[in-house]
Amino acid sequence: KGERYTVSPYKLLINDGNYYLLSFDDKYKKMRTYRVDRMRDVRLTGQPRDGVAEFAEIDLRDYTKRTFSMFGGKTERVEMRFINPLLHTAIDRFGTTDVRYSVVDETHFSVTANVDVSDQFFGWLLGFGKRVKLLGPPSVIEKFRSYMDKVREMYL
């Protein structure tokens, strides 16, 4: 909408084929990501960079694994059940650090991982149809149901 943002840039990231600038946002006083291809009229302000301590606390590998399309949300530990052929997809998405993989039965496995819960995460889940099921926690399942209800209402 043409709004101007003042940020302190830290890292250029690529996710799902898009470039993002990881920056400390002066207005929100936290690290945020911005799509580079949507930036217009970028200017250097000459002001000192803010957010040094916040950037130092970020584990970039973990950040990119738990963030879907660079949309943030509340980080929650979620459990999902996948069909076995999606094991490599799950490993590519969540990695192996601080993630628990378990055999559910002869055709399924579960993944428990930290995820930034957002509409983009829910859209990612829906892309798998019945091949993935969100198992918990109950609060995230309820948010997922609400998300699906909002989408379904558009087609009534």
Side-chain angles (χ1 to χ4, degrees):
K1 298 179 184 177
E3 186 177 343
R4 180 158 299 278
Y5 297 85
T6 301
V7 301
S8 297
Y10 279 90
K11 193 78 170 172
L12 189 63
L13 306 169
I14 188 166
N15 185 278
D16 293 333
N18 295 302
Y19 285 96
Y20 295 86
L21 181 65
L22 177 61
S23 304
F24 183 81
D25 186 289
D26 287 0
K27 179 179 178 182
Y28 296 102
K29 302 296 183 205
K30 67 179 187 174
M31 298 302 289
R32 298 185 65 166
T33 53
Y34 298 94
R35 285 255 314 251
V36 172
D37 64 314
R38 294 187 178 161
M39 294 179 182
R40 302 284 181 264
D41 194 26
V42 176
R43 297 180 194 165
L44 180 64
T45 65
Q47 297 174 6
R49 183 161 44 173
D50 292 326
V52 174
E54 288 81 356
F55 180 71
E57 292 178 12
I58 293 178
D59 176 337
L60 288 174
R61 182 173 289 170
D62 176 61
Y63 182 83
T64 58
K65 296 273 184 218
R66 65 180 166 79
T67 308
F68 286 77
S69 299
M70 293 293 123
F71 281 88
K74 182 180 176 190
T75 302
E76 304 220 33
R77 190 98 173 140
V78 300
E79 183 179 8
M80 300 150 283
R81 185 189 69 207
F82 290 78
I83 62 170
N84 286 342
L86 293 177
L87 178 60
H88 291 295
T89 300
I91 292 171
D92 286 347
R93 175 79 252 183
F94 301 108
T96 57
T97 303
D98 198 29
V99 179
R100 189 180 79 228
Y101 293 89
S102 303
V103 174
V104 172
D105 57 35
E106 54 280 343
T107 58
H108 297 90
F109 67 95
S110 69
V111 176
T112 304
N114 293 328
V115 170
D116 283 3
V117 176
S118 65
D119 288 354
Q120 288 67 32
F121 167 62
F122 295 147
W124 182 81
L125 285 176
L126 285 173
F128 293 104
K130 292 184 174 184
R131 298 175 296 162
V132 175
K133 181 177 181 180
L134 181 61
L135 301 177
S139 61
V140 175
I141 293 171
E142 185 53 41
K143 289 176 189 173
F144 187 39
R145 286 182 181 142
S146 294
Y147 172 79
M148 290 187 292
D149 288 344
K150 284 189 285 187
V151 172
R152 186 177 23 251
E153 286 173 7
M154 292 176 53
Y155 298 98
L156 295 177

